[in-house]
Amino acid sequence: MSETELAAWWQRGVIYQIYPRSFADANGDGVGDLRGVIEHLDYLNDGTDRSLGVAAIWLSPFYRSPMADFGYDISDYTDVDPLFGTMEDFDRLIGEAQRRGIRVIVDWVPNHTSDQHPWFTESASSRESAKRDWYVWRDPAPDGGPPNNWQSAFAAVGSAWTFHEATGQYYLHSFMPQQPDLNWDNPEVEAAMHEVLRFWLNRGVDGFRIDAIYRLAKDPELRDNELGIRHDEDWPTIHQRLRKIRAVIDEYENRVIVGEVYLLDLRRLVEYINTGDELHLAHNFVFFHLPWQAAAFRASVQEFTELAKQSAWPAWFLENHDHSRVATRYAAAPESGQRRARTAAMLICTLRGTPFMYYGEELGLPDAHIPPDRVVDVDGRDPERSPMPWRRPSLDGPGAGFTTAEPWLPVITGAESLCVESQQQDPRSTLAFVRKLTHLRSREPTLQSGTLRLFDAAADVFCYERELDRRFLIALNFSSHRVPLALGGDAPSSAFLELSTHPGREHGAVDLQDLVLEPDEGLILRLSKAGAARS
Ligand code: GLC
């Protein structure tokens, strides 16, 4: 995108991920639902700076599902699971979101269905079934074992193959045995999955988050994985497949696709966004897995910027429903978790690219403690899926305003002070900070689409400039001690402090030469336009 071109909606604002099971329970069964989402849309964006001001929500799956993988095992792609509500609820959600200027992105899970999906039931009914080839069936290896050495992405599952007694063959599942992989080498499968896209596009969704997109193309010869060479993902045919998906999306105006490209290699990641006719956005798991060190983030952002074409738009996220939350995984000491959660939010909202925020990230939620008898997920992901604490348990009961029943997963221990209600009343809270941050971003085109230039500063400080009609300097202290900013080069000497993660820091003019960052502090400073600084 050139600097003068207007940015698209999905480039300008924050995209907020909702895990429907855990956001808000309107019908009192202990599990979140679509009506719960509708009831809290004002919290997300009511048009004023008292709300978060998000541009869009991304809803994790709410489709019909036996819930072996909590909705990522779909038995009907074009219906709402009764646990989450009805199709009328979904239509109302779209309407209510539109009324508030909130776009709606839904999850599309093309790699696998549920083993209860009628396609699979039919495919498994006999070797001669018309849908046999819709899934990946193979004879046992000569020793009777699985056809090759592919493993499920879930360590607890082991082999990616399950033997089906009735027809004497194995079927492939990149995740759980209850999630058989569709055979994307079969054009009928491809066409059927494209129809699923059109179904939701016709219902008014603004785009899709594509689940496990890198798994959609595998070695058709099903050769064994070798050290350093994967045959079960990211096969070259992926790009042709993705172009066809994009062509369906482009039948509609102004839609977006963001892919879960879980490849820990930036060179391979950028191939999904560089051509301009594949993904609009790719979730970057290299960035996601970085250690909390200024140099690591700096080097990774630099590498991404060098590899991605200028026309390829970055996306940044540090939380989702599959991994430990920032306030837990980056905490150096109990008190640094909240501070680092604020700095991490500042990072993703000020880099050049689209920020993705996971529900509760704006509260600095830590992971929940899950006692052994409450564990439900096969892959240890319960702690980051704990229900959103809306109200104080001491006043509203143990469901913390999420539910009036027993919540499907335990609420975090610190809900009394970390819940929305408590943070809303406290101008020094993480929520109050994140609202200021997202509104500063929406007011300032420079923070949305300005150029990015890295700046030299103290070793523990990640520092960069954004420039368009204004100039901002962002400085993030990745250490838990005080650090002088120590800008390098012919840096400017003064600036105006717009926002700090540190509640005690006063706004106003600051002398950059003397500036000392507080432990874990992040700053957004406005520079004067004249006398551009150089790194
Ligand atoms: C993706 C989802 C994850 C799910 C898996 C299988 O990685 O993010 O939650 O378990 O795909 O669909």
Side-chain angles (χ1 to χ4, degrees), residues 69 72 112 154 175 179 209 211 260 321-322 381 385:
D69 191 17
Y72 281 96
H112 46 269
F154 300 141
F175 297 91
Q179 295 167 294
R209 176 266 188 180
D211 187 68
E260 185 201 19
H321 60 295
D322 293 330
R381 298 167 296 181
R385 297 173 177 180

Side-chain angles (χ1 to χ4, degrees), residues 242-261:
L242 208 38
R243 275 193 284 277
K244 289 189 177 166
I245 292 166
R246 174 63 178 266
V248 175
I249 301 301
D250 287 346
E251 292 167 12
Y252 299 75
E253 261 174 53
N254 250 332
R255 312 298 163 105
V256 70
I257 42 175
V258 50
E260 185 201 19
V261 187

